[in-house]
Amino acid sequence: LAQACWLQAQAQTAALAVTMAQADVGLKIAVTSENKVKLDAVQTSFEDVLSHQGLGCIKVVACPADSGIPHGQPWGMQHTYEGALARLHNLKAGAAADGCAYLVSVENGVFTLLRHDRTEAFDIACVIIQDTATGQQSVNFSQSRPYPLDTVQEMKRDGVSNSQIGAYCAEWYDKQNLPLSRAEQIRTATCAALFQLGLGS
């Protein structure tokens, strides 16, 4: 069964390469965001995984789509996945992604860990990729990063806007100098999702 799946993935990749060569265009990837960090991370991931497969130039297209989360912050892995999935569904409902070979939805969320003496929070990225030719989807999550939960909750109680909280978090992460960046979270999750589609073989 594993061998059959591998052969099918290789056939799909070869057929895609032929189609792109005949059309004399590169591989277009629609991403449900206009955030430059997300776009660049997805671009890098596809180049890392597919550059050796003769698919031509890889072009990422910004196609912002709503997550359907009114308060802006998904909580927990399930909610983060649902936000990413909603973005994907909203993207497919329009025509912005026409002509794209893959659709990529990225959503960052926060999950908490209840300890005896405190509650800790962690930021994660969820990536969903859909092959538009087959409809096949894959999903993966990134490694987590610490999240300044206490400060963010205090800011929310004080009526601080989501955009201001986002700016605070970005500055907070810059000061932490963690070994894992938002871009690296998205890149690794995207690469893993591509391998799940059989494209990294």
Side-chain angles (χ1 to χ4, degrees):
L1 179 60
Q3 179 70 9
C5 290
W6 182 86
L7 289 173
Q8 182 181 12
Q10 293 301 304
Q12 290 173 351
T13 301
L16 182 58
V18 170
T19 300
M20 293 299 172
Q22 290 173 342
D24 194 27
V25 297
L27 187 69
K28 288 179 63 179
I29 316 295
V31 180
T32 60
S33 175
E34 56 186 357
N35 182 295
K36 188 176 187 302
V37 171
K38 293 182 178 182
L39 296 173
D40 289 349
V42 171
Q43 175 90 30
T44 300
S45 303
F46 273 83
E47 289 175 349
D48 288 348
V49 175
L50 300 180
S51 60
H52 66 287
Q53 298 191 17
L55 300 180
C57 177
I58 294 173
K59 180 181 179 182
V60 167
V61 181
C63 302
D66 188 46
S67 68
I69 300 173
H71 51 76
Q73 178 63 71
W75 292 94
M77 295 182 72
Q78 182 68 35
H79 199 200
T80 303
Y81 162 73
E82 289 170 0
L85 190 63
R87 289 186 191 276
L88 185 64
H89 286 167
N90 288 329
L91 172 62
K92 293 191 292 183
D98 288 355
C100 292
Y102 295 95
L103 311 180
V104 180
S105 186
V106 181
E107 185 76 23
N108 271 74
V110 176
F111 72 92
T112 56
L113 176 66
L114 300 178
R115 303 185 63 180
H116 289 295
D117 56 346
R118 63 188 181 277
T119 299
E120 294 193 36
F122 302 89
D123 167 74
I124 53 171
C126 175
V127 175
I128 303 175
I129 301 178
Q130 179 167 331
D131 182 335
T132 59
T134 65
Q136 183 181 2
Q137 289 184 2
S138 64
V139 59
N140 214 294
F141 286 86
S142 72
Q143 183 178 344
S144 66
R145 302 187 298 169
Y147 181 80
L149 179 63
D150 291 343
T151 302
V152 169
Q153 288 180 327
E154 183 177 346
M155 293 173 75
K156 288 295 289 185
R157 287 192 292 269
D158 291 340
V160 177
S161 69
N162 287 337
S163 61
Q164 290 174 302
I165 291 175
Y168 164 78
C169 288
E171 183 179 354
W172 186 83
Y173 280 117
D174 285 342
K175 291 179 179 177
Q176 300 307 305
N177 194 29
L178 297 171
L180 182 68
S181 66
R182 170 66 60 85
E184 188 64 9
Q185 282 183 307
I186 296 168
R187 187 193 69 80
T188 52
T190 303
C191 286
L194 284 169
F195 271 79
Q196 286 175 249
L197 286 175
L199 296 173
S201 304

